Amino acid sequence: MSQPILMTVDDDPAVSRSVARDLRRRYGQDYRVVRAGSGADALDALREIKLRGDAVAAILADYRMPHMDGISFLEQAMDLFPHARRALLTAYADTDAAIQAINVVDVDHYLLKPWDPPEEKLYPVVDALVDAWRAAGDRPVEETKIVGHRWSAPSYQVRDFLARNSVPYRWYSVDEPEAARLLEAADATAEEIPVLVTPDGTVLRKPSGEEIANAVGLSTRPAEEFYDLIVVGGGPAGLGAAVYGASEGLRTVLVERKATGGQAGQSSRIENYLGFPDGVSGAQLTDRARRQAQKFGAEVLTTRDVVGLEARGSARVIKFGDGTELSAHAVVLATGVSYRALEADGCAELTGRGVYYGSAATEAGECTGQHVYIVGGANSAGQAAVFFSRYASEVTILVRGESLRASMSHYLIEQLDQIENVHVRTHTTVVGVHGEDHLEKLTLCDQHGARETVAASHLFVFIGAAPRTEWLGDDVIRDRHGFVCTGPDLVVEGRRPPGWPLDRDPHHLESSIPGVFVAGDVRSQSVKRVASAVGEGAMAVTLVHRYLEQQ
């Protein structure tokens, strides 16, 4: 196969030559640069490239072109080369259109013209495009097949697990003819759903998370018995610690119970994260961070439930639910928080069958034309409302307080105000959840005790922040809410925490066990934002180095 192609499309000959020149200067040894003067000419060229069997790594298209603008062209180009990465060339006045393209047409980046110097404004973007293309390749996506029931909680859990771990899959409802054919070929029955069939033909019936992880190629077992650093939790704080730990030469392993990303990984769009002016989805941010950690040599283990932590001399030991252990010189706890259970009659029975915790993006298609309800008033709830408003006929946010302003970012409140099918009901709680095999109705209660029953097929819950730190035991000091205390909070009236063995105060992010550091939402008094969690993950690694130097 010949060199992969970088295509540039612009109706202005001078701009077209300039783009091609700059691309050839940087990428000419590894890529072939092809330029076209219109969307129609570019589509013809892409069809010829397709016939020859060549690969297209990235396409850069001008937004303002006669007859066919850049967005329309890129939509059609995606049909020919769905794995090619896409960027829009635009003037400053067209920035809004570029952001719309990113949100609606799945464009990867936009470039403002002029981009001089290219070393600062062009090449970093193209580097990101080709790196992403190399990671996915231009090969057919091998899909895992799932046969299940739409309103089955185990079926939902399988889909959610694969989606959050970026494993491509195809879903078949058990009542579809194709599902029946697939079950017959797998020698399985409808009573055994969910049934999962991997690309190599392996059949799993009612699989556990670990069985799925092993079947689709996710790592579940550590390669070594001892590490410099164990990171527990794969949210932004944990990923930040893994990236900085591995990049600075520490033998690092990240241990995650379900999927990297945590609550942030479920966010449909994070728009106030530094460096992403057009926003980034939690899944995209998580995928990039995970690949970055692995690039530096960090191991990432999934479906490992950590149930204990112990200091044994200079080693710090974590215990898994299956009875095995893993040791390291230091540990970073970045387990984040979980959404609190909705205390409403019937809620537990319908969880996974219309009631979901977090932004279950796998359910978006099923919400088309439906009235979706969201419980919660923080950013995660607002981001979910924006996301589901594209599918649902109506989205109602239910808030216990008098407004969103106490817990939601200003930019997000303003954004919600502009979406016609999103509504906010204040002073409202859910007290009843009803349905036979799936959610059908909700009972709502206002501040005066008046109740109302409404039809509903989907309820997404974003309430509270439970740290789930019971497994840490008494040696790790926590506040009354269960968040882990660190650094200065452990020194009371000049006295160090009970049992503290060292002749120094705990470092800023250090827990009551020396060498065990805490980052992100699970830390007492932390700022519950993605950027601060990443920063604490990086800072924890700096303190790990300081701790190791003092040993």
Side-chain angles (χ1 to χ4, degrees), residues 265-392:
Q266 295 178 281
S267 296
S268 55
R269 197 149 209 90
I270 303 168
E271 296 189 71
N272 59 348
Y273 189 71
L274 184 67
F276 291 88
D278 45 346
V280 61
S281 74
Q284 289 174 318
L285 190 62
T286 297
D287 179 64
R288 293 176 182 182
R290 180 177 58 241
R291 287 192 285 114
Q292 193 174 17
Q294 291 174 322
K295 181 186 78 170
F296 288 122
E299 289 182 46
V300 178
L301 308 181
T302 57
T303 67
R304 299 313 305 266
D305 194 15
V306 180
V307 299
L309 171 67
E310 183 179 315
R312 293 182 191 164
S314 62
R316 300 296 175 259
V317 182
I318 62 169
K319 302 178 181 180
F320 295 115
D322 62 2
T324 60
E325 298 178 344
L326 192 60
S327 302
H329 290 301
V331 170
V332 172
L333 299 176
T335 50
V337 294
S338 302
Y339 293 115
R340 297 188 186 277
L342 180 65
E343 296 179 1
D345 293 339
C347 184
E349 293 79 6
L350 293 177
T351 298
R353 296 188 290 153
V355 178
Y356 307 97
Y357 287 88
S359 182
T362 55
E363 297 301 303
E366 302 293 344
C367 294
T368 302
Q370 303 294 316
H371 188 163
V372 168
Y373 285 85
I374 292 174
V375 181
N379 279 11
S380 53
Q383 290 159 354
V386 173
F387 174 70
F388 286 114
S389 70
R390 303 170 193 161
Y391 302 88

Side-chain angles (χ1 to χ4, degrees), residues 123-254:
Y123 296 152
V125 170
V126 179
D127 285 346
L129 294 175
V130 297
D131 285 347
W133 178 80
R134 284 198 201 103
D138 198 29
R139 56 189 180 277
V141 176
E142 294 184 334
E143 293 177 326
T144 295
K145 299 178 176 64
I146 310 169
V147 177
H149 192 283
R150 175 186 176 188
W151 299 117
S152 160
S155 296
Y156 162 70
Q157 290 164 1
V158 171
R159 286 186 291 146
D160 185 59
F161 178 83
L162 293 175
R164 292 185 61 188
N165 282 286
S166 303
V167 178
Y169 73 88
R170 185 176 295 275
W171 162 258
Y172 299 90
S173 181
V174 70
D175 52 6
E176 297 177 14
E178 184 59 31
R181 289 191 288 270
L182 192 57
L183 288 175
E184 182 179 2
D187 193 24
T189 66
E191 287 71 33
E192 296 175 299
I193 62 171
V195 172
L196 185 146
V197 182
T198 65
D200 65 2
T202 301
V203 178
L204 302 178
R205 300 166 176 82
K206 298 182 179 178
S208 67
E210 185 173 0
E211 288 173 332
I212 298 171
N214 288 325
V216 300
L218 300 174
S219 297
T220 61
R221 302 288 171 181
E224 302 181 33
E225 295 182 355
F226 196 92
Y227 292 82
D228 294 321
L229 175 63
I230 298 172
V231 180
V232 184
L239 288 167
V243 167
Y244 281 91
S247 68
E248 294 175 10
L250 297 177
R251 290 172 300 159
T252 302
V253 59
L254 183 149

